[in-house]
Amino acid sequence: MSSKTGILCIVLTAIAFGTMEIALKIAGTAFTPFQLTFLRFLVGGLLLLPLAVRDVRQRGIRLNKGDWMYLAVLGLVNVCFSMILFQIGVNMANAGLAAIVFSSNPVFVMIFSYFIIHEAFTRRKAITLVLSLAGLIIVADPVAIVRSGNFGLCVSAAAAVVFALYTTLGKLRIEKLGGNVENAFSFLIGCAFLLIFLHIHGDPVFGGINSQTIWSLLYCSLVVTGFGYLCFMKAIELTGPSNASFAFFLKPVIALVLSAVILSEPITCGAVIGLLLILIGCTMAGPIERILFSKKVRDGQ
C-alpha cells in the first residue's frame, strides 16, 4: 500500500468520526448509553464479519487462545469502557465540545505508544503534548465544570484516554490479524459482554427501535462504527497509531461546524482557541508531512 492510501484512510476516518457526536446525540434520546453502544457495535461488527472471515481464509490466519484473549481485551477496552463513557459524555455535554475533548486522544496515544510498543517520543511530540493539553484545558474550562456541576466533558476526556489505550493495543497484532479481523471480532465480543450487562441491569436490548429512530441508529452503526473503524484500523496498519490518530485532529473541526448547523450549538471563543492550539500542536508533530515525503513509513517517527 502506498503512503497516499494511508492519508486517504485518515481523511475518511475524520469524516466518518466527525459526525459521530451529532449522530450519537440524536440517537441517544431514544436509547440508553449501554443499549445504543450495544446496537451500533453489533451492527458494525456483523457488517465487518464477512470481510474478517475472508481475511482469515485468504491470509491463512489461525486464531489461537492468545489471539482470542487479545480480541476480548480490545472489545472490553473499546466497546465496554471507552464508547460507553463517550456516549454518557455526549449525552451530558455540548456535542461540539465533546468532539474536541475526545479528539485529544492522540496525545495519550503518544504516551501509551512509548510504553507499550516503544515508539520514539520525539521533541515534536513533546510540543504536541504541551499544546494539545493546553487546548484541552481551555475547551473543557475546569472552573466552569466545577461551577455548573456538569462533568460531561470530564467523562469525554476519560473516554479519550481509554480509546487511546485501545488504539495502541490495536497495533500489537494488526500485522498478523489485520484491521477487519480485529474490528469485527472485538466488536462482537464486546457486544457479548454488554448483552450480559443489559440483561443483569434490566435495560432494553431492542426496545425503542421504530421508523423514526432506525435511521439515526443505522447511521451510527454503518457509517460511524462500521466504515469509520474500518478506515481507522487500516490507517493504523499503514501509518502506525500515532499517525493514524491525526484523524482526530481533523474530526473536531467537522464536528464543531456541524453541531452548530444541525444542533444549533454555539461556537465559543474558548472552543476555537483550544481547537487551534490542538491543531497547531498536530502541525508541529508533522505526521502527514512524514507520510508524504518519507520513502518508507516509520511508525512513531
Side-chain angles (χ1 to χ4, degrees):
M1 291 287 184
S2 68
S3 58
K4 291 183 179 179
T5 304
I7 295 174
L8 177 62
C9 289
I10 291 172
V11 172
L12 291 176
T13 300
I15 294 173
F17 284 178
T19 61
M20 178 162 57
E21 288 78 11
I22 298 171
L24 294 181
K25 189 87 171 181
I26 295 173
T29 59
F31 307 99
T32 69
F34 289 91
Q35 181 192 16
L36 178 55
T37 303
F38 167 78
L39 290 173
R40 74 184 184 95
F41 278 95
L42 176 64
V43 174
L46 292 175
L47 176 69
L48 296 174
L49 187 58
L51 299 177
V53 173
R54 180 205 62 187
D55 287 355
V56 168
R57 292 175 177 174
Q58 290 184 350
R59 299 171 60 175
I61 300 172
R62 294 186 177 181
L63 296 172
N64 54 41
K65 183 178 179 180
D67 293 327
W68 286 112
M69 290 293 294
Y70 169 74
L71 292 170
V73 170
L74 289 184
L76 279 171
V77 171
N78 182 38
V79 179
C80 299
F81 288 98
S82 178
M83 290 298 104
I84 291 293
L85 288 171
F86 183 60
Q87 183 63 52
I88 294 173
V90 168
N91 288 352
M92 295 173 62
N94 176 296
L97 296 183
I100 296 176
V101 171
F102 187 74
S103 296
S104 67
N105 75 82
V107 175
F108 305 105
V109 170
M110 296 177 189
I111 298 173
F112 284 127
S113 293
Y114 176 77
F115 290 103
I116 296 176
I117 62 175
H118 309 297
E119 280 193 354
F121 192 83
T122 64
R123 183 180 301 175
R124 287 186 174 184
K125 286 184 178 181
I127 295 174
T128 295
L129 179 62
V130 172
L131 291 176
S132 298
L133 286 178
L136 179 60
I137 292 173
I138 292 174
V139 171
D141 194 353
V143 175
I145 288 177
V146 173
R147 287 177 178 175
S148 66
N150 187 337
F151 293 92
L153 293 182
C154 294
V155 177
S156 297
V161 174
V162 181
F163 189 81
L165 176 61
Y166 161 75
T167 300
T168 308
L169 292 175
K171 179 63 175 177
L172 292 177
R173 300 196 185 188
I174 198 167
E175 291 186 2
K176 173 186 177 181
L177 303 178
N180 292 329
V181 174
E182 285 196 359
N183 277 333
F185 291 129
S186 69
F187 286 3
L188 295 176
I189 293 173
C191 285
F193 288 123
L194 277 185
L195 183 60
I196 295 173
F197 176 85
L198 287 171
H199 280 295
I200 294 176
H201 197 255
D203 285 357
V205 178
F206 299 105
I209 301 177
N210 54 48
S211 58
Q212 294 180 333
T213 61
I214 188 65
W215 300 111
S216 59
L217 177 61
L218 286 176
Y219 184 86
C220 291
S221 304
L222 300 178
V223 179
V224 175
T225 306
F227 180 73
Y229 274 85
L230 176 66
C231 293
F232 183 54
M233 294 303 286
K234 193 63 179 178
I236 292 176
E237 184 178 346
L238 294 174
T239 70
S242 292
N243 289 328
S245 293
F246 183 83
F248 288 93
F249 290 103
L250 301 176
K251 159 186 156 62
V253 179
I254 300 171
L256 198 62
V257 173
L258 290 181
S259 65
V261 174
I262 298 175
L263 301 178
S264 299
E265 294 181 346
I267 300 178
T268 64
C269 181
V272 174
I273 294 174
L275 179 57
L276 285 175
L277 283 174
I278 294 174
L279 292 176
I280 292 172
C282 177
T283 303
M284 293 298 295
I288 293 297
E289 180 183 359
R290 288 192 298 276
I291 298 174
L292 282 171
F293 297 107
S294 60
K295 293 182 180 180
K296 180 179 180 180
V297 175
R298 302 174 182 176
D299 293 347
Q301 294 293 314

